[in-house]
Amino acid sequence: MKIGTKAIHAGVKPDPTTGAIMTPIYQTSTYVQAAPGEHQGFEYSRTQNPTRFALQDNLAALENAKHGLVYSSGLGAIDAVMKTLRPGDEVISTDDLYGGTYRIFTKIFEPYGIKFRFVPMDDPQAVSRAMTDATKLIWVETPTNPMMNIVDIRAIVDVARQWNGVRVAVDNTFASPYLQQPMDLGADLVMHSVTKYLGGHSDVVMGALALNDDAWAEELAFIQNASGAVAGPQDCFLVLRGIKTLHVRMQRHCENGAAIAQHLARHPKVEKVYWPGFESHPGHRIAEKQMKDYGGMLSFTLKDDRQEEAFRVLSSLKYFSLAESLGGVESLAGHPASMTHASIPREHRLQVGLTDSLIRLSVGIEDVEDLCADLDQAIG
Ligand SMILES: *Cc1c(COP(=O)(O)O)cnc(C)c1O
């Protein structure tokens, strides 16, 4: 089955009692048992829920994985993965990680004795140099936020394979399974903030994991139930519905993203556009190899590189809403230096190109002519 067919059909069956084509929202906390222990496989909704199971099977299929698990947020999913580590274990990750991931790593799990090393992961040799006998996990994010750096997943997997028992996890939120399937490149686990492209309509917060390893999946399902960060049936229904148009939405996100990247690159007041589709992007060749297309995320800086100028542009935009998050049908714009990356010292962010005027766009699926016109009138 190809991805568009999977998006619509994988994991979902007509409801056995009525034939309803849409998976019912099993809005129930518990299930009646005929006698103690005599039930139909469902006892309590933290542990089992049919709407959630349908979504989990669908997500596993989309990522070409055996097992899928959903959690109440992307960070809830990351939390579960980290709980499979033990004090003394080490994790290597990218140095331009999603802020919330950096926070849970350093503020929640470091105090429990897990060690994190952050390296520039667009250089697989940097990962190789950071490896020790205690390394258990390499945490990859690609493309990265907001600089749109590309990490070569297969090259990182090759580094991991030179050591015993080192696993590779990929946060696939920015690409979505439509653009990139890390399991096929050798990754051991894929994580999603379902909140973004998978949900796709800015109406749900949810996280997901997909993997093949039976024992690790069992441990993660145990944590899902034991720690309790499960996704509710209503949210699972909304995501099942959202995923049915994932491939169609992604196609348009990519088309619009490309058109806007090229439009901005020609704008006299724009300094630089960060989008992996450009030949000049340092990760372009790798993106071409491991992604189907370049996605709907991009960032740009202004020639007048002042925060006030970025603020002026952001507050003049009409169709791009100023908001956190990404991946919804509606276009969003943000200012990483004062929003998502405000906690990073200015010197440090300037070094990686995250300047005062950098604006990040999550390009939606509106008519691209309207989006270009909106950017033009706002930039002036
Ligand atoms: C949003 C996001 C997360 C966190 O997911 P939540 O659903 O907000 O908990 C993790 N990684 C990336 C890349 C994200 O964009």
Side-chain angles (χ1 to χ4, degrees):
M1 230 194 284
K2 293 195 181 238
I3 191 140
T5 313
K6 279 184 189 171
I8 294 167
H9 294 289
V12 301
K13 297 175 209 71
D15 174 46
T17 51
T18 63
I21 194 160
M22 290 303 290
T23 307
I25 305 167
Y26 285 90
Q27 195 72 47
T28 186
S29 60
T30 192
Y31 306 84
V32 177
Q33 308 192 8
E38 201 181 303
H39 54 73
Q40 301 170 46
F42 295 92
E43 298 150 285
Y44 186 62
S45 271
R46 173 161 35 70
T47 325
Q48 310 106 343
N49 181 279
T51 318
R52 192 174 89 220
F53 282 4
L55 174 59
Q56 292 186 158
D57 290 348
N58 180 267
L59 282 169
L62 288 178
E63 286 292 0
N64 296 331
K66 234 168 114 180
H67 307 283
L69 291 159
V70 296
Y71 296 81
S72 52
S73 69
L75 287 171
I78 296 173
D79 180 81
V81 176
M82 291 303 128
K83 283 173 177 164
T84 66
L85 299 174
R86 293 292 171 264
D89 288 351
E90 293 183 6
V91 180
I92 300 173
S93 188
T94 38
D95 59 1
D96 58 348
L97 200 57
Y98 172 74
T101 308
Y102 181 78
R103 184 178 56 198
I104 194 172
F105 282 1
T106 57
K107 301 275 194 236
I108 305 290
F109 286 100
E110 213 158 68
Y112 284 102
I114 296 166
K115 203 164 155 193
F116 297 89
R117 293 161 187 268
F118 301 95
V119 303
M121 222 172 241
D122 42 5
D123 173 15
Q125 286 315 309
V127 178
S128 188
R129 283 191 297 274
M131 300 280 273
T132 75
D133 290 336
T135 307
K136 288 291 184 309
L137 185 68
I138 303 178
W139 189 270
V140 178
E141 219 180 273
T142 182
T144 64
N145 173 31
M147 302 314 297
M148 305 302 297
N149 289 320
I150 304 292
V151 176
D152 187 337
I153 297 171
R154 204 184 281 280
I156 301 296
V157 167
D158 287 344
V159 169
R161 293 294 170 267
Q162 289 162 22
W163 296 67
N164 258 342
V166 177
R167 285 158 158 165
V168 176
V170 178
D171 180 338
N172 205 24
T173 301
F174 263 46
S176 89
Y178 173 78
L179 293 179
Q180 171 175 289
Q181 290 163 321
M183 301 299 290
D184 293 353
L185 301 169
D188 299 288
L189 178 137
V190 175
M191 174 264 157
H192 276 283
S193 169
V194 175
T195 315
K196 318 293 170 52
Y197 285 109
L198 286 168
H201 295 74
S202 311
D203 50 10
V204 172
V205 172
M206 192 189 292
L209 302 175
L211 68 163
N212 286 335
D213 187 292
D214 295 333
W216 202 14
E218 197 177 317
E219 198 182 349
L220 287 162
F222 175 82
I223 293 167
Q224 183 193 43
N225 180 52
S227 286
V230 289
Q234 187 90 231
D235 285 352
C236 290
F237 173 85
L238 285 170
V239 173
L240 274 167
R241 178 179 163 136
I243 286 175
K244 288 186 193 293
T245 55
L246 175 71
H247 50 305
V248 184
R249 285 186 284 111
M250 288 312 297
Q251 245 170 7
R252 181 63 77 86
H253 281 297
C254 292
E255 278 170 31
N256 285 2
I260 288 176
Q262 282 149 14
H263 185 76
L264 286 172
R266 285 192 297 267
H267 199 287
K269 290 192 177 171
V270 169
E271 174 71 25
K272 194 164 170 107
V273 182
Y274 295 89
W275 176 67
F278 287 129
E279 290 270 348
S280 57
H281 186 287
H284 178 70
R285 289 275 163 268
I286 301 158
E288 210 175 35
K289 196 174 57 163
Q290 76 185 11
M291 298 172 75
K292 187 186 289 181
D293 205 335
Y294 306 106
M297 296 301 300
L298 60 99
S299 298
F300 67 99
T301 57
L302 300 168
K303 290 212 166 111
D304 183 356
D305 184 40
R306 290 177 303 131
Q307 171 165 308
E308 305 85 86
E309 185 58 10
F311 281 16
R312 188 193 61 74
V313 170
L314 286 164
S315 47
S316 311
L317 287 166
K318 292 195 175 68
Y319 300 134
F320 284 87
S321 303
L322 176 61
E324 309 254 357
S325 200
L326 60 110
V329 291
E330 56 287 289
S331 292
L332 301 180
H335 184 249
S338 67
M339 296 165 73
T340 47
H341 292 62
S343 61
I344 300 174
R346 185 166 182 271
E347 290 316 306
H348 183 150
R349 64 173 168 76
L350 289 182
Q351 271 167 26
V352 298
L354 206 172
T355 63
D356 296 337
S357 73
L358 186 117
I359 292 173
R360 187 192 81 174
L361 301 181
S362 168
V363 177
I365 63 169
E366 300 95 334
D367 283 301
V368 77
E369 295 79 3
D370 289 331
L371 298 179
C372 287
D374 190 26
L375 287 161
D376 285 347
Q377 65 78 26
I379 298 168

